[in-house]
Amino acid sequence: MERPHTGRRRNEAAREAIIDAAIGLLQDVGYEGFTIERLAKDAGVGKQTVYRWWPSKAAVIAEAVGTRAQHTIPLPDTGTLGSDLTEFFLTTFRQSEDPAVINQLKNMMVASLENPETAAPFKEFLASRRAILRVLLERGAERREVAEHADLDFLTDLAYGLLWYRGLVGHRPLDDDAARKLAVALVAAGAAPPTGAVQK
């Protein structure tokens, strides 16, 4: 009797173990202390298994943080743009206020700034986060809660600009009040008439 093929399941289990170990290692030693050797040991795999999927530690870190962010920040669908944005920002900001999470994000940025060759995974992570917010804005546009002329990329920049500035500088918290105010401001900006338009 032919034995069932388990290679795919085994690969998926190894990949998940590496992602889990990467998050744990970041929390323990940060970016500077993060090594592929230690990662492989913590994940219970060989170094070549890690390098099979990721060319560098920056690539592993980017995917690990990005994967966990996708798992912990669901895409809300409440029926209105204001409520969707409020729920999305509340969840995002609460996660980002966790010192471990903000340190992971800082580590990703440091890696991309120190070595341009490692910037691609970080940019992919940022693009994935922008794409999720854009879905909410596009839904709002379909419901005519966002003006037809609105620049959705600019609105996305406004939202993540606040998150990254407060997260990196730390001058004010990423709290629930900030999340609610940002949602209100984004809805207003999206519904506003174009610059120079004559109000009737």
Side-chain angles (χ1 to χ4, degrees), residues 85-97 162 166 172-184:
L85 291 175
T86 298
E87 186 174 325
F88 178 75
F89 291 140
L90 283 171
T91 304
T92 301
F93 284 15
R94 286 169 183 170
Q95 183 190 72
S96 298
E97 274 287 86
L162 185 145
R166 288 199 177 188
R172 297 189 66 183
L174 288 167
D175 54 15
D176 289 359
D177 181 60
R180 294 189 177 96
K181 286 179 178 177
L182 179 59
V184 171

PDB file of all heavy atoms in Angstrom, residues 85-97 162 166 172-184:
ATOM      1  N   LEU A  85     -13.352  52.044   9.535  1.00  0.00           N
ATOM      2  CA  LEU A  85     -12.068  52.670   9.842  1.00  0.00           C
ATOM      3  C   LEU A  85     -11.805  52.708  11.341  1.00  0.00           C
ATOM      4  O   LEU A  85     -10.682  52.452  11.798  1.00  0.00           O
ATOM      5  CB  LEU A  85     -12.030  54.091   9.273  1.00  0.00           C
ATOM      6  CG  LEU A  85     -11.990  54.212   7.748  1.00  0.00           C
ATOM      7  CD1 LEU A  85     -12.069  55.680   7.327  1.00  0.00           C
ATOM      8  CD2 LEU A  85     -10.740  53.560   7.168  1.00  0.00           C
ATOM      9  N   THR A  86     -12.844  53.014  12.107  1.00  0.00           N
ATOM     10  CA  THR A  86     -12.680  53.054  13.562  1.00  0.00           C
ATOM     11  C   THR A  86     -12.240  51.700  14.093  1.00  0.00           C
ATOM     12  O   THR A  86     -11.282  51.604  14.878  1.00  0.00           O
ATOM     13  CB  THR A  86     -13.986  53.483  14.251  1.00  0.00           C
ATOM     14  OG1 THR A  86     -14.333  54.807  13.823  1.00  0.00           O
ATOM     15  CG2 THR A  86     -13.830  53.478  15.761  1.00  0.00           C
ATOM     16  N   GLU A  87     -12.914  50.648  13.660  1.00  0.00           N
ATOM     17  CA  GLU A  87     -12.567  49.301  14.130  1.00  0.00           C
ATOM     18  C   GLU A  87     -11.162  48.914  13.681  1.00  0.00           C
ATOM     19  O   GLU A  87     -10.378  48.346  14.454  1.00  0.00           O
ATOM     20  CB  GLU A  87     -13.585  48.295  13.590  1.00  0.00           C
ATOM     21  CG  GLU A  87     -13.410  46.887  14.128  1.00  0.00           C
ATOM     22  CD  GLU A  87     -14.527  45.955  13.690  1.00  0.00           C
ATOM     23  OE1 GLU A  87     -15.684  46.425  13.581  1.00  0.00           O
ATOM     24  OE2 GLU A  87     -14.244  44.764  13.470  1.00  0.00           O
ATOM     25  N   PHE A  88     -10.825  49.247  12.445  1.00  0.00           N
ATOM     26  CA  PHE A  88      -9.511  48.904  11.906  1.00  0.00           C
ATOM     27  C   PHE A  88      -8.405  49.634  12.661  1.00  0.00           C
ATOM     28  O   PHE A  88      -7.398  49.035  13.049  1.00  0.00           O
ATOM     29  CB  PHE A  88      -9.454  49.251  10.419  1.00  0.00           C
ATOM     30  CG  PHE A  88      -8.123  48.985   9.777  1.00  0.00           C
ATOM     31  CD1 PHE A  88      -7.721  47.694   9.480  1.00  0.00           C
ATOM     32  CD2 PHE A  88      -7.265  50.032   9.460  1.00  0.00           C
ATOM     33  CE1 PHE A  88      -6.488  47.442   8.895  1.00  0.00           C
ATOM     34  CE2 PHE A  88      -6.039  49.791   8.872  1.00  0.00           C
ATOM     35  CZ  PHE A  88      -5.654  48.498   8.582  1.00  0.00           C
ATOM     36  N   PHE A  89      -8.577  50.929  12.889  1.00  0.00           N
ATOM     37  CA  PHE A  89      -7.544  51.704  13.583  1.00  0.00           C
ATOM     38  C   PHE A  89      -7.450  51.333  15.059  1.00  0.00           C
ATOM     39  O   PHE A  89      -6.356  51.317  15.630  1.00  0.00           O
ATOM     40  CB  PHE A  89      -7.797  53.201  13.424  1.00  0.00           C
ATOM     41  CG  PHE A  89      -7.598  53.709  12.023  1.00  0.00           C
ATOM     42  CD1 PHE A  89      -8.453  54.652  11.483  1.00  0.00           C
ATOM     43  CD2 PHE A  89      -6.560  53.245  11.238  1.00  0.00           C
ATOM     44  CE1 PHE A  89      -8.280  55.120  10.193  1.00  0.00           C
ATOM     45  CE2 PHE A  89      -6.375  53.696   9.940  1.00  0.00           C
ATOM     46  CZ  PHE A  89      -7.239  54.643   9.412  1.00  0.00           C
ATOM     47  N   LEU A  90      -8.580  51.046  15.697  1.00  0.00           N
ATOM     48  CA  LEU A  90      -8.535  50.619  17.096  1.00  0.00           C
ATOM     49  C   LEU A  90      -7.692  49.350  17.234  1.00  0.00           C
ATOM     50  O   LEU A  90      -6.825  49.254  18.115  1.00  0.00           O
ATOM     51  CB  LEU A  90      -9.949  50.372  17.624  1.00  0.00           C
ATOM     52  CG  LEU A  90     -10.785  51.604  17.974  1.00  0.00           C
ATOM     53  CD1 LEU A  90     -12.225  51.198  18.272  1.00  0.00           C
ATOM     54  CD2 LEU A  90     -10.197  52.345  19.175  1.00  0.00           C
ATOM     55  N   THR A  91      -7.951  48.378  16.375  1.00  0.00           N
ATOM     56  CA  THR A  91      -7.199  47.127  16.430  1.00  0.00           C
ATOM     57  C   THR A  91      -5.729  47.346  16.096  1.00  0.00           C
ATOM     58  O   THR A  91      -4.827  46.825  16.779  1.00  0.00           O
ATOM     59  CB  THR A  91      -7.803  46.100  15.452  1.00  0.00           C
ATOM     60  OG1 THR A  91      -9.181  45.911  15.747  1.00  0.00           O
ATOM     61  CG2 THR A  91      -7.083  44.757  15.557  1.00  0.00           C
ATOM     62  N   THR A  92      -5.466  48.122  15.035  1.00  0.00           N
ATOM     63  CA  THR A  92      -4.093  48.378  14.605  1.00  0.00           C
ATOM     64  C   THR A  92      -3.304  49.125  15.670  1.00  0.00           C
ATOM     65  O   THR A  92      -2.166  48.760  15.999  1.00  0.00           O
ATOM     66  CB  THR A  92      -4.092  49.192  13.303  1.00  0.00           C
ATOM     67  OG1 THR A  92      -4.801  48.482  12.288  1.00  0.00           O
ATOM     68  CG2 THR A  92      -2.665  49.441  12.822  1.00  0.00           C
ATOM     69  N   PHE A  93      -3.893  50.174  16.241  1.00  0.00           N
ATOM     70  CA  PHE A  93      -3.182  50.980  17.223  1.00  0.00           C
ATOM     71  C   PHE A  93      -2.949  50.199  18.516  1.00  0.00           C
ATOM     72  O   PHE A  93      -1.896  50.330  19.138  1.00  0.00           O
ATOM     73  CB  PHE A  93      -3.956  52.266  17.517  1.00  0.00           C
ATOM     74  CG  PHE A  93      -3.848  53.300  16.423  1.00  0.00           C
ATOM     75  CD1 PHE A  93      -3.386  52.972  15.164  1.00  0.00           C
ATOM     76  CD2 PHE A  93      -4.232  54.610  16.654  1.00  0.00           C
ATOM     77  CE1 PHE A  93      -3.294  53.917  14.154  1.00  0.00           C
ATOM     78  CE2 PHE A  93      -4.132  55.569  15.664  1.00  0.00           C
ATOM     79  CZ  PHE A  93      -3.663  55.223  14.403  1.00  0.00           C
ATOM     80  N   ARG A  94      -3.942  49.419  18.933  1.00  0.00           N
ATOM     81  CA  ARG A  94      -3.761  48.632  20.158  1.00  0.00           C
ATOM     82  C   ARG A  94      -2.620  47.643  19.990  1.00  0.00           C
ATOM     83  O   ARG A  94      -1.830  47.420  20.912  1.00  0.00           O
ATOM     84  CB  ARG A  94      -5.056  47.907  20.504  1.00  0.00           C
ATOM     85  CG  ARG A  94      -6.141  48.824  21.068  1.00  0.00           C
ATOM     86  CD  ARG A  94      -7.487  48.141  21.158  1.00  0.00           C
ATOM     87  NE  ARG A  94      -8.516  49.055  21.634  1.00  0.00           N
ATOM     88  CZ  ARG A  94      -9.821  48.780  21.627  1.00  0.00           C
ATOM     89  NH1 ARG A  94     -10.240  47.588  21.179  1.00  0.00           N
ATOM     90  NH2 ARG A  94     -10.693  49.665  22.068  1.00  0.00           N
ATOM     91  N   GLN A  95      -2.511  47.042  18.822  1.00  0.00           N
ATOM     92  CA  GLN A  95      -1.404  46.120  18.585  1.00  0.00           C
ATOM     93  C   GLN A  95      -0.080  46.871  18.546  1.00  0.00           C
ATOM     94  O   GLN A  95       0.913  46.428  19.120  1.00  0.00           O
ATOM     95  CB  GLN A  95      -1.604  45.378  17.266  1.00  0.00           C
ATOM     96  CG  GLN A  95      -0.518  44.340  16.995  1.00  0.00           C
ATOM     97  CD  GLN A  95      -0.582  43.791  15.599  1.00  0.00           C
ATOM     98  OE1 GLN A  95      -0.244  44.479  14.650  1.00  0.00           O
ATOM     99  NE2 GLN A  95      -1.019  42.552  15.480  1.00  0.00           N
ATOM    100  N   SER A  96      -0.081  48.041  17.895  1.00  0.00           N
ATOM    101  CA  SER A  96       1.153  48.794  17.738  1.00  0.00           C
ATOM    102  C   SER A  96       1.641  49.388  19.051  1.00  0.00           C
ATOM    103  O   SER A  96       2.824  49.727  19.182  1.00  0.00           O
ATOM    104  CB  SER A  96       0.966  49.904  16.697  1.00  0.00           C
ATOM    105  OG  SER A  96       0.653  49.356  15.429  1.00  0.00           O
ATOM    106  N   GLU A  97       0.763  49.563  20.023  1.00  0.00           N
ATOM    107  CA  GLU A  97       1.172  50.077  21.322  1.00  0.00           C
ATOM    108  C   GLU A  97       1.915  49.032  22.151  1.00  0.00           C
ATOM    109  O   GLU A  97       2.571  49.363  23.131  1.00  0.00           O
ATOM    110  CB  GLU A  97      -0.046  50.570  22.112  1.00  0.00           C
ATOM    111  CG  GLU A  97      -0.444  52.005  21.816  1.00  0.00           C
ATOM    112  CD  GLU A  97       0.544  53.005  22.416  1.00  0.00           C
ATOM    113  OE1 GLU A  97       1.559  53.320  21.755  1.00  0.00           O
ATOM    114  OE2 GLU A  97       0.322  53.471  23.546  1.00  0.00           O
ATOM    115  N   LEU A 162       0.450  59.035  10.417  1.00  0.00           N
ATOM    116  CA  LEU A 162       0.241  59.235  11.850  1.00  0.00           C
ATOM    117  C   LEU A 162       0.740  58.027  12.648  1.00  0.00           C
ATOM    118  O   LEU A 162       1.420  58.183  13.667  1.00  0.00           O
ATOM    119  CB  LEU A 162      -1.237  59.478  12.137  1.00  0.00           C
ATOM    120  CG  LEU A 162      -1.585  59.812  13.598  1.00  0.00           C
ATOM    121  CD1 LEU A 162      -2.727  60.821  13.674  1.00  0.00           C
ATOM    122  CD2 LEU A 162      -1.966  58.566  14.378  1.00  0.00           C
ATOM    123  N   ARG A 166       3.933  58.575  15.229  1.00  0.00           N
ATOM    124  CA  ARG A 166       3.768  58.369  16.675  1.00  0.00           C
ATOM    125  C   ARG A 166       4.496  57.109  17.143  1.00  0.00           C
ATOM    126  O   ARG A 166       5.046  57.074  18.247  1.00  0.00           O
ATOM    127  CB  ARG A 166       2.295  58.296  17.033  1.00  0.00           C
ATOM    128  CG  ARG A 166       1.578  59.633  16.952  1.00  0.00           C
ATOM    129  CD  ARG A 166       0.279  59.640  17.731  1.00  0.00           C
ATOM    130  NE  ARG A 166      -0.358  60.949  17.686  1.00  0.00           N
ATOM    131  CZ  ARG A 166      -1.431  61.290  18.402  1.00  0.00           C
ATOM    132  NH1 ARG A 166      -1.977  60.393  19.217  1.00  0.00           N
ATOM    133  NH2 ARG A 166      -1.945  62.494  18.309  1.00  0.00           N
ATOM    134  N   ARG A 172       3.425  61.027  21.369  1.00  0.00           N
ATOM    135  CA  ARG A 172       2.059  60.857  21.844  1.00  0.00           C
ATOM    136  C   ARG A 172       1.649  59.416  21.599  1.00  0.00           C
ATOM    137  O   ARG A 172       2.183  58.756  20.705  1.00  0.00           O
ATOM    138  CB  ARG A 172       1.082  61.823  21.150  1.00  0.00           C
ATOM    139  CG  ARG A 172       1.373  63.290  21.423  1.00  0.00           C
ATOM    140  CD  ARG A 172       0.264  64.180  20.908  1.00  0.00           C
ATOM    141  NE  ARG A 172      -0.977  63.966  21.641  1.00  0.00           N
ATOM    142  CZ  ARG A 172      -2.130  64.597  21.334  1.00  0.00           C
ATOM    143  NH1 ARG A 172      -2.168  65.434  20.312  1.00  0.00           N
ATOM    144  NH2 ARG A 172      -3.215  64.373  22.039  1.00  0.00           N
ATOM    145  N   PRO A 173       0.702  58.895  22.357  1.00  0.00           N
ATOM    146  CA  PRO A 173       0.362  57.471  22.246  1.00  0.00           C
ATOM    147  C   PRO A 173      -0.504  57.145  21.035  1.00  0.00           C
ATOM    148  O   PRO A 173      -1.224  58.004  20.508  1.00  0.00           O
ATOM    149  CB  PRO A 173      -0.402  57.205  23.544  1.00  0.00           C
ATOM    150  CG  PRO A 173      -1.045  58.521  23.875  1.00  0.00           C
ATOM    151  CD  PRO A 173      -0.035  59.557  23.473  1.00  0.00           C
ATOM    152  N   LEU A 174      -0.432  55.902  20.630  1.00  0.00           N
ATOM    153  CA  LEU A 174      -1.341  55.361  19.624  1.00  0.00           C
ATOM    154  C   LEU A 174      -2.514  54.729  20.379  1.00  0.00           C
ATOM    155  O   LEU A 174      -2.682  53.511  20.419  1.00  0.00           O
ATOM    156  CB  LEU A 174      -0.620  54.322  18.765  1.00  0.00           C
ATOM    157  CG  LEU A 174       0.408  54.862  17.778  1.00  0.00           C
ATOM    158  CD1 LEU A 174       1.272  53.739  17.232  1.00  0.00           C
ATOM    159  CD2 LEU A 174      -0.286  55.593  16.630  1.00  0.00           C
ATOM    160  N   ASP A 175      -3.348  55.597  20.965  1.00  0.00           N
ATOM    161  CA  ASP A 175      -4.415  55.104  21.821  1.00  0.00           C
ATOM    162  C   ASP A 175      -5.764  55.111  21.094  1.00  0.00           C
ATOM    163  O   ASP A 175      -5.860  55.451  19.907  1.00  0.00           O
ATOM    164  CB  ASP A 175      -4.496  55.930  23.110  1.00  0.00           C
ATOM    165  CG  ASP A 175      -4.635  57.429  22.830  1.00  0.00           C
ATOM    166  OD1 ASP A 175      -4.956  57.812  21.682  1.00  0.00           O
ATOM    167  OD2 ASP A 175      -4.416  58.221  23.769  1.00  0.00           O
ATOM    168  N   ASP A 176      -6.812  54.715  21.830  1.00  0.00           N
ATOM    169  CA  ASP A 176      -8.141  54.628  21.228  1.00  0.00           C
ATOM    170  C   ASP A 176      -8.640  55.995  20.767  1.00  0.00           C
ATOM    171  O   ASP A 176      -9.329  56.107  19.746  1.00  0.00           O
ATOM    172  CB  ASP A 176      -9.138  54.037  22.235  1.00  0.00           C
ATOM    173  CG  ASP A 176      -8.908  52.554  22.488  1.00  0.00           C
ATOM    174  OD1 ASP A 176      -7.979  51.985  21.870  1.00  0.00           O
ATOM    175  OD2 ASP A 176      -9.644  51.972  23.296  1.00  0.00           O
ATOM    176  N   ASP A 177      -8.295  57.036  21.505  1.00  0.00           N
ATOM    177  CA  ASP A 177      -8.710  58.379  21.127  1.00  0.00           C
ATOM    178  C   ASP A 177      -8.116  58.770  19.776  1.00  0.00           C
ATOM    179  O   ASP A 177      -8.810  59.326  18.912  1.00  0.00           O
ATOM    180  CB  ASP A 177      -8.284  59.377  22.202  1.00  0.00           C
ATOM    181  CG  ASP A 177      -8.700  60.808  21.880  1.00  0.00           C
ATOM    182  OD1 ASP A 177      -9.924  61.050  21.740  1.00  0.00           O
ATOM    183  OD2 ASP A 177      -7.818  61.674  21.761  1.00  0.00           O
ATOM    184  N   ALA A 178      -6.841  58.461  19.584  1.00  0.00           N
ATOM    185  CA  ALA A 178      -6.192  58.762  18.309  1.00  0.00           C
ATOM    186  C   ALA A 178      -6.829  57.960  17.179  1.00  0.00           C
ATOM    187  O   ALA A 178      -7.018  58.478  16.067  1.00  0.00           O
ATOM    188  CB  ALA A 178      -4.704  58.451  18.400  1.00  0.00           C
ATOM    189  N   ALA A 179      -7.172  56.708  17.437  1.00  0.00           N
ATOM    190  CA  ALA A 179      -7.782  55.858  16.413  1.00  0.00           C
ATOM    191  C   ALA A 179      -9.133  56.423  15.970  1.00  0.00           C
ATOM    192  O   ALA A 179      -9.429  56.501  14.775  1.00  0.00           O
ATOM    193  CB  ALA A 179      -7.963  54.437  16.953  1.00  0.00           C
ATOM    194  N   ARG A 180      -9.947  56.846  16.927  1.00  0.00           N
ATOM    195  CA  ARG A 180     -11.271  57.382  16.595  1.00  0.00           C
ATOM    196  C   ARG A 180     -11.162  58.721  15.864  1.00  0.00           C
ATOM    197  O   ARG A 180     -11.892  58.984  14.900  1.00  0.00           O
ATOM    198  CB  ARG A 180     -12.106  57.515  17.862  1.00  0.00           C
ATOM    199  CG  ARG A 180     -12.439  56.172  18.524  1.00  0.00           C
ATOM    200  CD  ARG A 180     -13.443  56.332  19.656  1.00  0.00           C
ATOM    201  NE  ARG A 180     -13.796  55.046  20.235  1.00  0.00           N
ATOM    202  CZ  ARG A 180     -13.225  54.530  21.324  1.00  0.00           C
ATOM    203  NH1 ARG A 180     -12.262  55.215  21.950  1.00  0.00           N
ATOM    204  NH2 ARG A 180     -13.579  53.347  21.777  1.00  0.00           N
ATOM    205  N   LYS A 181     -10.253  59.568  16.326  1.00  0.00           N
ATOM    206  CA  LYS A 181     -10.069  60.866  15.665  1.00  0.00           C
ATOM    207  C   LYS A 181      -9.559  60.695  14.239  1.00  0.00           C
ATOM    208  O   LYS A 181      -9.965  61.424  13.334  1.00  0.00           O
ATOM    209  CB  LYS A 181      -9.095  61.728  16.471  1.00  0.00           C
ATOM    210  CG  LYS A 181      -9.676  62.297  17.754  1.00  0.00           C
ATOM    211  CD  LYS A 181      -8.643  63.127  18.504  1.00  0.00           C
ATOM    212  CE  LYS A 181      -9.233  63.745  19.760  1.00  0.00           C
ATOM    213  NZ  LYS A 181      -8.200  64.505  20.540  1.00  0.00           N
ATOM    214  N   LEU A 182      -8.662  59.729  14.039  1.00  0.00           N
ATOM    215  CA  LEU A 182      -8.138  59.486  12.698  1.00  0.00           C
ATOM    216  C   LEU A 182      -9.241  58.995  11.764  1.00  0.00           C
ATOM    217  O   LEU A 182      -9.304  59.413  10.604  1.00  0.00           O
ATOM    218  CB  LEU A 182      -7.002  58.463  12.758  1.00  0.00           C
ATOM    219  CG  LEU A 182      -6.365  58.097  11.416  1.00  0.00           C
ATOM    220  CD1 LEU A 182      -5.798  59.331  10.728  1.00  0.00           C
ATOM    221  CD2 LEU A 182      -5.259  57.060  11.622  1.00  0.00           C
ATOM    222  N   ALA A 183     -10.103  58.125  12.258  1.00  0.00           N
ATOM    223  CA  ALA A 183     -11.207  57.627  11.436  1.00  0.00           C
ATOM    224  C   ALA A 183     -12.116  58.773  11.008  1.00  0.00           C
ATOM    225  O   ALA A 183     -12.496  58.881   9.835  1.00  0.00           O
ATOM    226  CB  ALA A 183     -11.995  56.568  12.212  1.00  0.00           C
ATOM    227  N   VAL A 184     -12.463  59.652  11.944  1.00  0.00           N
ATOM    228  CA  VAL A 184     -13.320  60.809  11.630  1.00  0.00           C
ATOM    229  C   VAL A 184     -12.637  61.720  10.616  1.00  0.00           C
ATOM    230  O   VAL A 184     -13.252  62.182   9.649  1.00  0.00           O
ATOM    231  CB  VAL A 184     -13.658  61.594  12.921  1.00  0.00           C
ATOM    232  CG1 VAL A 184     -14.344  62.908  12.581  1.00  0.00           C
ATOM    233  CG2 VAL A 184     -14.546  60.755  13.829  1.00  0.00           C
TER     234      VAL A 184
END
